Amino acid sequence: MSESHTASSGSSRLNTGVAHNARVWNYWIGGKDNYEVDQQVAEQVAEMFPVIREIARADRWFLGRAVRFLAEEHGVRQFLDIGTGLPTADNTHEIAQRVAPDARIVYVDNDPIVLVHARTLLTGSTEGATDYIDADVRDPDAILEQAGRTLDFGQPVAVMMLGILNFVLDTGEAREVARRIMDVMPSGSFLVLTHPTFDAEVGGEGQIPAMKFWNENATPPITARSGADIASFLDGLRILEPGLVSCSQWRADDASPAVVPQYGAVAVKP
């Protein structure tokens, strides 16, 4: 996809009259790529569920730790980042190519505002490759077909699905999306996952009314799930230590980080 096509496609689909997840998330982590409608919904959700800002930051920090872990300790040189969101500091390609300049990264998203910013995502090291494809998580075959132009599916790939399967409202469909993508990946590939939960043991009860408000006032609709349902997305894979945990606690530098109701895990394909 050319950069000019990317930008024009995003502009034609951009709706600034309704709060959108990519822009609201950008607001919560301190970004500037959002509109008044996004800020209003973001503030209302944060008033109902104050921990949401901590969730947004914890999810972003998890991304950094997971990419560095895979690049440094497992030698991963290919990343397929599905549902990448708006570019901020330390995007997947920047972290990976800092460790290994020859790393190859493909971003996948279909958010209109992200399309507008795709040029930012398409800047990477000269030794590696950074590409962007416009595709929906519900169409794994299209993702795999286009990603295969940049990535070598004969070599291990880290599939990043951070905060994206929660937009696939049917759990069976979400499970099938993860299975279909990982089926194509070779042994030694990884699935990196975060997902919001309503589990009480990690303080997730407040997700339910906040998500109800979100679904009535913003797009796209979202759902939280139990830890057991989220774990099912990793069926057939070996979950690495420390397991499926609050993403703030996954291999955290801080000895006692605050628990957030967003699970995170890294699993490897045997």
Side-chain angles (χ1 to χ4, degrees), residues 56-201:
R57 289 191 288 265
D59 192 86
R60 192 71 189 179
W61 293 333
F62 171 89
L63 167 70
R65 295 196 303 277
V67 172
R68 283 191 298 273
F69 169 70
L70 293 175
E72 291 176 349
E73 300 189 29
H74 291 272
V76 175
R77 296 295 180 262
Q78 301 191 108
F79 294 82
L80 177 58
D81 190 338
I82 302 173
T84 179
L86 282 160
T88 59
D90 278 349
N91 301 290
T92 298
H93 73 282
E94 294 167 320
I95 301 166
Q97 291 175 351
R98 199 175 297 142
V99 176
D102 61 340
R104 306 173 73 83
I105 294 86
V106 172
Y107 290 106
V108 182
D109 215 304
N110 73 332
D111 288 352
I113 189 68
V114 178
L115 293 174
V116 173
H117 286 264
R119 288 190 183 91
T120 304
L121 290 174
L122 285 168
T123 58
S125 69
T126 55
E127 301 95 326
T130 305
D131 200 4
Y132 181 92
I133 58 178
D134 176 10
D136 193 292
V137 65
R138 296 172 185 81
D139 193 355
D141 291 338
I143 291 173
L144 292 165
E145 178 186 358
Q146 296 182 65
R149 300 169 191 167
T150 300
L151 304 178
D152 176 5
F153 292 152
Q155 299 296 321
V157 177
V159 178
M160 315 289 294
M161 301 188 79
L162 274 62
I164 184 64
L165 289 177
N166 36 282
F167 295 109
V168 183
L169 301 186
D170 182 84
T171 299
E173 182 184 3
R175 190 180 298 118
E176 178 62 18
V177 166
R179 185 202 64 78
R180 174 74 185 95
I181 291 173
M182 293 309 296
D183 276 355
V184 172
M185 301 302 154
S187 176
S189 293
F190 296 84
L191 177 56
V192 183
L193 180 75
T194 63
H195 195 296
T197 182
F198 49 67
D199 284 356
E201 56 263 38

Side-chain angles (χ1 to χ4, degrees), residues 243-260:
L244 182 72
V245 297
S246 172
C247 68
S248 61
Q249 297 188 312
W250 189 89
R251 295 179 64 90
D253 299 327
D254 188 334
S256 56
V259 172
V260 297

